[in-house]
Amino acid sequence: QRYNVVLKDDKRYPSIRIATRTDYPKIEIVRKTPKDGAVYFGPFSSAHAVRQTVKLINKTFPLRKCSDRTMAYRDRPCIHYQMKQCLAPCCLNIDPVVYQGIVKEVVLFLKGRTPELIKRLRRNMLKAAANQEFEVAAALRDRMFALEKTLERQVTVTTDFMDRDVVGVSGNSD
C-alpha cells in the first residue's frame, strides 16, 4: 500500500519477556513475541502498566538489569548490586540454581499466584531465621512485604494470547 488507509501505527501491545533458556535471564519489555523459547506475559493494553510492573519486579527481585553485551564485558558489579537489587551474576560466582529460583518466583508473581509465593517466602524466611541467617531472613521479609502491598493493586496477566471479553457487574442493595 502506498498510503496508510487502514490508519495503523504498526505498533503492538507490550509484553514482558523472560529468556528462561539462559542461566541468568533478565526481565524485558518487548512488542514482538517470536517463538524463541522465552516466557512471555501479556499483552498489556497499557505500556505504562507494563513499565510499572517491571519496575516493581526490579525493586523486589534481585535479577540482573544489564544487557547481554554489557554482562559479557563487565568486570565489576554495577550500582544495582550495591543497592541490593541485583545479584551481579556478571562478575560474581552466583549459583545458577539460586538465580533460577528467583526467576521462578517472578513467574509465579506474573501468573498472579502471589499468595502462594508469599507463603513460600514466609517458610524460607522462618527457615533462614532458625539457621541464624538473619540477613537472608530480612531480605526475604522485605520481599514478602513488597508482594503483600501489590496484592491490593494486582495486575491481570494472561499467557495464552487469546482474545477475551471481560464483563464487570456491580450491584447495590438500595
Side-chain angles (χ1 to χ4, degrees):
Q1 284 178 330
R2 186 169 176 164
Y3 300 103
N4 187 8
V5 293
V6 185
L7 299 176
K8 289 187 177 179
D9 62 355
D10 226 16
K11 285 188 178 176
R12 297 187 177 123
Y13 291 112
S15 297
I16 296 175
R17 177 181 188 269
I18 303 174
T20 54
R21 289 189 175 178
T22 64
D23 285 340
Y24 305 108
K26 71 176 207 159
I27 304 288
E28 296 176 294
I29 299 173
V30 295
R31 290 194 181 263
K32 293 182 181 179
T33 55
K35 303 266 186 211
D36 59 356
V39 177
Y40 291 93
F41 294 93
F44 295 89
S45 60
S46 168
H48 178 70
V50 175
R51 285 192 298 274
Q52 290 296 105
T53 302
V54 169
K55 188 176 181 180
L56 175 74
I57 289 170
N58 283 332
K59 279 185 177 179
T60 309
F61 300 96
L63 296 178
R64 73 177 174 102
K65 280 83 173 151
C66 56
S67 66
D68 293 337
R69 174 179 276 179
T70 305
M71 184 173 165
Y73 295 110
R74 189 175 292 279
D75 58 351
R76 63 179 203 172
C78 64
I79 193 164
H80 295 290
Y81 174 75
Q82 294 173 3
M83 295 187 313
K84 301 201 184 323
Q85 292 180 355
C86 177
L87 295 177
C90 54
C91 305
L92 304 177
N93 190 14
I94 303 298
D95 185 12
V97 175
V98 172
Y99 195 89
Q100 289 296 331
I102 296 171
V103 171
K104 287 177 184 172
E105 291 176 359
V106 171
V107 170
L108 281 176
F109 172 73
L110 288 172
K111 284 184 176 179
R113 294 170 51 192
T114 310
E116 178 183 329
L117 177 58
I118 289 173
K119 287 178 187 174
R120 182 185 295 181
L121 288 173
R122 181 171 280 121
R123 278 195 312 267
N124 292 342
M125 179 187 69
L126 294 173
K127 190 185 302 180
N131 294 336
Q132 295 186 353
E133 298 172 343
F134 299 116
E135 290 180 8
V136 174
L140 290 170
R141 179 203 59 210
D142 294 343
R143 191 180 307 167
M144 188 177 65
F145 286 155
L147 290 174
E148 285 173 346
K149 281 184 186 177
T150 63
L151 277 179
E152 298 168 4
R153 52 179 184 90
Q154 184 69 38
V155 177
T156 304
V157 178
T158 63
T159 60
D160 57 3
F161 298 100
M162 298 293 294
D163 290 335
R164 287 185 173 76
D165 294 329
V166 178
V167 178
V169 179
S170 175
N172 193 349
S173 63
D174 292 338

